Amino acid sequence: PANITSNGEGIKMECIGCIVCKLEKNRHDVLRGYIAMLAIRHDRRKQGLASTLVTTAIQRMFAQGCEEVVLEAEHVNGAALKLYEKLGFVRDKLLEKYYLNGSDAYRLKLKLDP
């Protein structure tokens, strides 16, 4: 989302959040969405923006025939895990030493009904 304001001298737009995702067939020929990154500017968190971005991305992937969405979240990132689980994602697998810093991650999965 963008924050659009006007100060009388014109319109100012600034990025307050972003999501990076893709849609492709997996090795089982299932059309799978993947959320690679979600970021919300620190001072704009706790306003529902992350939920809106993720929900919008899922809806767009679903409209293209997506059957499931997956992502990874650091095992200690309670806010991210809570957000995704609230949206229906379930913990599918623990990925040990997934990140470059040696931290573990959970693979989260959301099955979409046709």
Side-chain angles (χ1 to χ4, degrees):
N3 187 30
I4 303 172
T5 59
S6 176
N7 61 6
E9 298 176 15
I11 295 175
K12 176 184 174 188
M13 291 181 56
E14 54 187 2
C15 181
I16 56 175
C18 72
I19 189 167
V20 176
C21 51
K22 68 178 182 176
L23 186 60
E24 65 184 8
K25 287 195 176 184
N26 69 8
R27 66 178 183 257
H28 303 292
D29 211 33
V30 172
L31 195 54
R32 173 186 278 178
Y34 178 70
I35 298 175
M37 183 188 78
L38 173 67
I40 303 295
R41 201 172 72 190
H42 194 322
D43 64 328
R44 296 302 299 267
R45 293 181 182 172
K46 304 287 185 193
Q47 298 176 21
L49 299 172
S51 292
T52 298
L53 281 174
V54 174
T55 301
T56 301
I58 292 169
Q59 289 170 343
R60 290 185 180 181
M61 288 188 273
F62 181 75
Q64 296 178 60
C66 180
E67 299 177 48
E68 66 182 19
V69 180
V70 297
L71 59 93
E72 292 83 26
E74 193 170 13
H75 77 291
V76 295
N77 189 341
L81 293 170
K82 182 177 176 181
L83 165 72
Y84 292 120
E85 289 171 351
K86 180 183 82 171
L87 294 174
F89 285 82
V90 295
R91 296 178 194 194
D92 183 54
K93 185 180 199 180
L94 177 65
L95 306 170
E96 295 182 11
K97 296 183 177 22
Y98 180 78
Y99 293 103
L100 291 176
N101 66 3
S103 184
D104 298 341
Y106 284 110
R107 171 160 299 130
L108 301 172
K109 188 180 285 188
L110 175 67
K111 294 278 189 184
L112 301 174
D113 294 323

